[in-house]
Amino acid sequence: MSVDGDGVGHVTIAGPAQPRLDIRAAFSTIPKVFRLAWQAHRVASIALVLITLLAAAVPAAQAWVAKMIVDSVVQVLNAGLTARQGLNWVLPYLLFELVLITLGALFAEGRMLLQRMLSGIIRFQLNTAIMDKSLALDLQYFENAAFYDQLQNARNETEFRVMTMIETCFTMIQNLITFASFLVILLAFSPLITLLLVVATIPSLIVQMRYSDMFVFMLTMRAPEHRRMNYLEHLLTVDNSAKEVKLFGLGQPLLQRYQKLFWKFHRQEMELMERRSVMSLFWGMLTTLSYYGAYVWIVWRTINGSITLGDLTLYLVVFRQAQTTVLAIFSNTGELYESGRFMENLFSFLRLKPQMASAADPLPVPRPIRQGIEFRNVSFRYPGRKQWALRDVSLHIAPGEKLALVGANGAGKTTFVKLLTRLYDPTEGEILLDGVDLREYDLDDLRQRIGVIFQDFVRYHATARENIGFGQIDALDDDRRIADAAQRGGADEVIATLPRGYDTMLGAWFEMGHELSGGQWQKIALGRAFMRDGEVLVLDEPTSALDAEREYDIFQRFRALTKGKIALLISHRFSTVRMADHICVLEGGRLTEYGTHEELLLLGGTYDRLFNLQAAGYR
């Protein structure tokens, strides 16, 4: 949380860091990745470690067996033994080599199987962790574009990178152990050449790491554009936008925007990859030259009789494999570094914390509500903005009272609801429930006591039963309660026409799905709001998509439907608003008028003007 100049706190989302070598930060993600593997499957993780250790010893053993085979053949030829005698002499080494080759193949397949076993579980864990973190964060994060950039970066290549890191780490461990076994042989032959082989690969490693930084930075910076591409893809492929896209001829223009963004990114990526390839090729030649220098030195030592043909075979195999292993180690290091930089984005996202304070010892919400709800000098502005959404609002809502909020778009009505449901906390002032600040109550318990239908309610692509039952998830199996909530919201009439009743899949995304009209969806959403067994009911434009007859029917029964509950009603239809006990007029975030319908008409202010303006349209 940061604080701007006038004392208003807001969420600060970290932007992408400039491309730089930061080895400590990148490699610090390795233990976290291994914890993911351990949590995914402990037996598979242990088996993977054992296979890696055993497989690491195979290459050196194979090189030694190759030397023994060659030296044995030379001894057989020098001793003048028969072919059968010679074969018997060499055969044990040949069989030993066959065993080593078989073990190498078994270890490779075993490791691949274990990695695939871990991959699916880890992918599930990562997606779950991201969704769980999103659930824990406050609404203010979701109304901040920078948050979506960070979410995009957290998801960007994460699934691929975490398995790359696990596979690379085990490969690197195996290569390090293998190289250590080679090192014993190489140092005995020539410490200087051994040092040369290692040092010659360092420039190539630095180049790879430098370009890895640039690649990660490029993808991180492109998060907003990537989200725009995802949005365009969404617009062009879902039912919600299909009608307008077709009728307005937006398909090809939007597709061209998508293509333009793709080719822009593709060119940038290819330019970077081309530079990376050229530099890697240049420095890679140094490694190649160092290998051939060692090659010449070994051949010369053999020709002058310093080493045997078996030694020649051993050293050539070891030098070749040692160089390959060193290159693999440095390549592994580069891959770990690059993947580590990507994983930083994920772990940075998972470190985000909710900004709304929770009480150390939260109170249960009173049942029933006895004193009501009080807004006391409440002011609020959204994080990062200077304009007040609400300013110095004070009012009291008695138990069982029906309060209507009236005002132009942007007057603060929905903000009022967000504060009441504690999606945000006031910037100034306090909201009291039975004389206690909302911040002192258990947040989950508070929200359990409030039923809400927002104007932009969700259309769940699920069964009709679930669409209503989601209003009280722990009562999803209570068919009687679901049917009662559907009847109160008018959804029972809709469900009666569906082919499978409450078991009908709503929406067109899944098989056997049944699409509804806007008014039918709104009845379903009303049923969901009535499903909540709370003492506060909030209806934000609850009948905007209903026909006049159905709206009249619902509000004729409005008091019966909300009996014993505090009802907060937001509507632009004054035929609906007048049914409330009191009406609150908001203008520019301020409470300018308050009273009954009759009192506000007599006041002759904004409400009177708007009511008569709307009424004139029906005359």
Side-chain angles (χ1 to χ4, degrees), residues 118-263:
L118 287 171
S119 178
I121 302 175
I122 290 174
R123 186 180 299 112
F124 165 76
Q125 286 181 325
L126 290 176
N127 288 334
T128 300
I130 289 173
M131 289 186 287
D132 190 54
K133 174 56 67 173
S134 298
L135 287 172
L137 295 176
D138 309 321
L139 181 63
Q140 56 186 302
Y141 281 98
F142 295 89
E143 296 182 344
N144 185 338
F147 167 76
Y148 291 101
D149 293 340
Q150 189 164 4
L151 177 59
Q152 170 73 29
N153 288 328
R155 288 174 168 168
N156 195 14
E157 298 197 21
T158 293
E159 294 177 8
F160 161 71
R161 294 291 175 175
V162 69
M163 283 312 302
T164 296
M165 288 189 76
I166 291 173
E167 293 170 13
T168 303
C169 278
F170 281 112
T171 301
M172 189 171 180
I173 292 169
Q174 179 176 327
N175 286 333
L176 285 169
I177 296 173
T178 299
F179 181 69
S181 64
F182 287 155
L183 202 60
V184 175
I185 301 172
L186 290 174
L187 288 172
F189 178 72
S190 174
L192 182 61
I193 289 182
T194 304
L195 180 63
L196 177 64
L197 288 173
V198 174
V199 172
T201 57
I202 293 177
S204 179
L205 171 65
I206 294 174
V207 168
Q208 292 292 332
M209 293 172 69
R210 175 61 178 167
Y211 277 95
S212 292
D213 273 318
M214 296 172 67
F215 181 60
V216 174
F217 178 73
M218 180 179 68
L219 290 187
T220 302
M221 286 295 292
R222 289 191 333 208
E225 286 78 8
H226 267 298
R227 288 197 297 110
R228 191 169 290 117
M229 286 182 68
N230 292 337
Y231 175 66
L232 290 170
E233 184 178 346
H234 177 80
L235 281 178
L236 293 170
T237 56
V238 298
D239 57 338
N240 294 341
S241 54
K243 296 188 291 294
E244 282 202 9
V245 167
K246 291 181 182 300
L247 291 174
F248 293 161
L250 299 177
Q252 286 301 317
L254 293 179
L255 181 59
Q256 289 170 8
R257 290 188 181 186
Y258 178 87
Q259 293 169 333
K260 183 178 179 181
L261 285 170
F262 170 80
W263 287 113

Side-chain angles (χ1 to χ4, degrees), residues 36-108:
L36 287 174
W38 180 254
Q39 293 166 0
H41 201 298
R42 294 187 178 185
V43 174
S45 299
I46 294 171
L48 201 52
V49 171
L50 294 176
I51 286 177
T52 299
L53 296 176
L54 293 172
V58 170
Q62 287 177 326
W64 177 81
V65 170
K67 163 188 160 51
M68 297 306 298
I69 290 172
V70 172
D71 281 344
S72 296
V73 170
V74 172
Q75 290 174 11
V76 166
L77 293 175
N78 291 336
L81 300 176
T82 64
R84 181 181 295 277
Q85 291 173 326
L87 182 60
N88 290 334
W89 184 269
V90 179
L91 187 59
Y93 297 113
L94 293 174
L95 292 175
F96 188 27
E97 185 176 46
L98 176 61
V99 171
L100 291 174
I101 292 172
T102 303
L103 285 175
L106 287 173
F107 291 151

